[in-house]
């Protein structure tokens, strides 16, 4: 009986600690912090581990610090253009026109 109770408690604990990865897609032209340019929702400035941020079309203005936060925690795909910053680190981006 103790094993079943312990197993149930562990299962319950792990189910509450799971973080679901999300995909956020930016479309249009403008600032990163414009919620109306994001689908399905605005990711904010905290990117969780495993999240994916896609700059789908158009041009987004964002800081290098935010770019690094996304890269360090999740996946960053750029099909549009990154603007408003200087990429001086070792990360490489490909902009598709």
């Amino acid at each position: 009986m103790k094993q079943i109770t312990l197993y149930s408690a562990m299962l319950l604990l792990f189910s509450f600690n799971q973080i679901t990865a999300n995909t956020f897609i930016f479309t249009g032209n403008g600032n990163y912090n414009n919620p109306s340019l994001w689908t399905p929702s605005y990711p904010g400035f905290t990117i969780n581990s495993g999240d994916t941020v896609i700059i789908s079309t158009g041009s987004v203005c964002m800081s290098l610090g935010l770019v690094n936060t996304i890269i360090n925690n999740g996946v960053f795909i750029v099909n549009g253009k990154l603007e408003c910053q200087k990429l001086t680190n070792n990360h490489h981006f490909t902009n598709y026109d």
Side-chain angles (χ1 to χ4, degrees):
M1 184 67 173
K2 287 183 180 181
Q3 280 183 319
I4 293 173
T5 303
L6 181 59
Y7 176 74
S8 298
M10 288 175 51
L11 184 62
L12 185 61
L13 178 64
F14 286 117
S15 67
F16 283 118
N17 285 331
Q18 289 181 337
I19 297 175
T20 304
N22 297 298
T23 299
F24 303 97
I25 302 171
F26 182 92
T27 55
N29 295 300
N31 288 319
Y32 174 91
N33 60 353
N34 182 343
S36 68
L37 298 175
W38 289 95
T39 304
S41 63
Y42 171 59
F45 293 103
T46 303
I47 306 301
N48 294 316
S49 179
D51 283 356
T52 300
V53 175
I54 300 172
I55 308 305
S56 179
T57 61
S59 177
V60 63
C61 178
M62 60 195 301
S63 70
L64 182 57
L66 183 56
V67 169
N68 286 330
T69 298
I70 296 169
I71 290 170
N72 291 332
N73 293 310
V75 177
F76 192 43
I77 301 170
V78 180
N79 293 321
K81 290 185 179 181
L82 280 179
E83 305 285 348
C84 300
Q85 59 175 336
K86 296 176 183 175
L87 299 175
T88 57
N89 57 13
N90 292 326
H91 301 301
H92 300 283
F93 298 95
T94 302
N95 288 323
Y96 299 98
D97 292 316

